[in-house]
Amino acid sequence: MSISTFVIIVLYVIEFSVLITLGYMSYRMPKILKGENQKNPEADEDIRNTSQNYIYAGMLLMIVAILFNTYIVVEGTPLEAHLMEWLNIVIRLMHITFGIAWIGASFYFVFLENALNRTEDVRDELAGNLWAVHGGGFYYLEKYKVAPKVIPKHLHWFKYEAYFTWLSGFCLLFVVYYFNASAFLIDKNVLDIRPWQGILIGVGSFAVAWLIYDRMCKSSLIKNQLVFALVGFAFLTLFAFLYCHVFSARAAYIHFGAMIGSLMVANVFFVIIPGQKEMVRCAKMGIPLDPTLGKKALARSLHNNYFTLPVLFVMVSNHFPSTFGYEYPWLILAIISLGAAGVKHYLNLKEQKHLNVWILPVSVVILLAACFISAPSTNPYECKKEVTFIEVNEIIQKRCVQCHSATPTDDVNTVAPNGVKYDTPKEIYDKRDLIMQRVVVTKTMPQNNKTEMTEEERNLIRCWIEQGASLK
């Protein structure tokens, strides 16, 4: 047994032992604390929640460590692609699930704020109330202007949805783009940098974006909503522009979404939750509460609410090369973000019973503009002669089958992406529409033009398809 194998085995034993121990502690800790602190059940609950959070964090770190060890073991073997695909599936499912919970909570509480009854039979201590019916039951909700006279023992905090959405998204960013940075993150036709430089720029940009945005929120800009929105849109557009001039277009889109998601979770972690904790602390101690804490938290929550639709667009954009495959992908990002935020603004106003007849139509026109602007030219190349399948097949075998084959030779894609293969004439013919979209119109394949397909070759493929895609 080699030294490296022995080290890996020892690490596995340690990591699994710690994971099992933490799992046992998560089961036993509440019972132990309950027995030791029966005189102060409220303090017991706080300690129990804090302890459980640390235990869960430790379990998560152990799982990450186990996966990292497994990656080292299978790196360079046929199992590497299999492991990465399953990591992609599992983490993506977690990201979507937590994201739905977070965005759903954001939508619901902004709706609740907008729809509150603030005038009829509202007690002086309340900011408003709302009757609702859902799932076969009636609900009555009240919002206090500051805090109730007595803080309830069981108080639910909406924060872990945000934290786990960001953590799973950050892990997904590593699995999809950073572990294969040379293939999926870096496009040397855009900017020739090393993978580690690209990763550093990507992660560092999130911190820089937060510092700028947070400074904007603390400046006098926040007093004028229109000016703040215009400056904020220019700020987002600048980051979209920079990302598209550093990374591959697809990676640029994902980083734009990850940047906005980082702003959202930082709002929760640095502003919203600390403000709420201070409100609870003051209410429990009976000391005067700063009312601006709630207002600042509400403002950041509203910002998050407007961020959601642009982030959702980015999450699905990597499946639609017509967006990131446009000549100026940053422009499509800016247009979609503006239009999506406009739609959300209309919905928020509608919930407040404020009728506005122009915001929704204008927002829809803005969104349609992205479709119009990114539309391909109807006749960009004149087909002067009939193109045969032999010519097209020669191009595909030279530029495409390194990945799209039953036996890929590519150093990254050891399995045909999405199961698309071009080993036979029929497989090529059946995928002719996909080839037209990805190879000719958006030019997003080959990935980052890794095999250096020329414009002449793309035009030959276009002509062959437009001429009927004959296999003769």
Side-chain angles (χ1 to χ4, degrees), residues 389-404:
F389 174 73
I390 294 176
E391 295 175 272
V392 171
N393 190 41
E394 183 178 345
I395 296 170
I396 290 176
Q397 298 304 314
K398 183 179 181 181
R399 309 294 188 190
C400 307
V401 296
Q402 290 87 340
C403 297
H404 295 286

Side-chain angles (χ1 to χ4, degrees), residues 105-177:
S106 172
F107 280 13
Y108 175 71
F109 277 102
V110 170
F111 157 77
L112 185 61
E113 179 67 27
N114 291 334
L116 283 175
N117 161 46
R118 303 179 187 275
T119 57
E120 298 180 9
D121 300 324
V122 178
R123 302 194 307 273
D124 291 339
E125 62 183 323
L126 296 182
N129 54 39
L130 177 73
W131 278 98
V133 59
H134 180 73
F138 291 93
Y139 296 82
Y140 182 65
L141 302 100
E142 295 179 328
K143 178 184 177 181
Y144 286 79
K145 290 179 180 177
V146 181
K149 295 178 181 179
V150 178
I151 299 296
K153 176 182 177 182
H154 300 289
L155 189 63
H156 184 79
W157 295 80
F158 288 87
K159 57 182 178 179
Y160 294 110
E161 301 92 339
Y163 299 159
F164 283 109
T165 298
W166 187 84
L167 285 171
S168 57
F170 199 65
C171 290
L172 192 62
L173 189 65
F174 268 86
V175 169
V176 177
Y177 290 95

Side-chain angles (χ1 to χ4, degrees), residues 77-85 184 400-421:
T77 71
L79 289 175
E80 179 182 357
H82 183 70
L83 173 65
M84 296 304 293
E85 183 166 333
F184 297 111
C400 307
V401 296
Q402 290 87 340
C403 297
H404 295 286
S405 171
T407 55
T409 59
D410 185 69
D411 57 343
V412 174
N413 293 300
T414 57
V415 178
N418 299 320
V420 177
K421 303 171 185 177

Side-chain angles (χ1 to χ4, degrees), residues 301-319:
S301 293
L302 285 172
H303 292 175
N304 283 1
N305 185 256
Y306 282 100
F307 282 147
T308 51
L309 292 186
V311 169
L312 288 175
F313 161 72
V314 169
M315 288 177 69
V316 301
S317 66
N318 60 341
H319 299 289

Side-chain angles (χ1 to χ4, degrees), residues 217-273:
C217 291
K218 294 176 180 177
S219 70
S220 58
L221 282 174
I222 199 68
K223 297 178 181 178
N224 190 316
Q225 292 184 358
L226 178 59
V227 174
F228 183 88
L230 292 174
V231 174
F233 175 68
F235 156 73
L236 292 178
T237 302
L238 175 62
F239 268 80
F241 179 84
L242 293 175
Y243 283 137
C244 290
H245 283 77
V246 174
F247 305 127
S248 68
R250 186 181 174 198
Y253 270 44
I254 294 299
H255 277 77
F256 181 79
M259 180 268 291
I260 296 179
S262 296
L263 297 183
M264 293 171 67
V265 78
N267 275 338
V268 175
F269 186 80
F270 291 115
V271 180
I272 297 172
I273 294 300

Side-chain angles (χ1 to χ4, degrees), residues 335-361:
I335 292 173
I336 295 292
S337 298
L338 180 62
V343 171
K344 196 71 194 72
H345 186 54
Y346 168 79
L347 294 174
N348 288 341
L349 290 178
K350 186 173 182 292
E351 290 166 357
Q352 297 174 14
K353 303 297 189 293
H354 292 171
L355 179 63
N356 191 295
V357 297
W358 64 269
I359 291 181
L360 183 60

Side-chain angles (χ1 to χ4, degrees), residues 2-3 14 34 71 94 96 124 151 180 206 215 220 239 243 246 274 281 292 326 360 379 385 389 408 413 430 457 466:
S2 65
I3 296 178
I14 294 173
K34 187 175 181 180
Y71 177 77
M94 292 172 58
I96 292 172
D124 291 339
I151 299 296
N180 292 313
F206 304 153
R215 182 60 184 168
S220 58
F239 268 80
Y243 283 137
V246 174
R281 187 187 72 84
T292 62
Y326 179 58
L360 183 60
N379 188 22
K385 67 181 185 68
F389 174 73
N413 293 300
D430 290 343
E457 290 171 334
E466 291 180 347

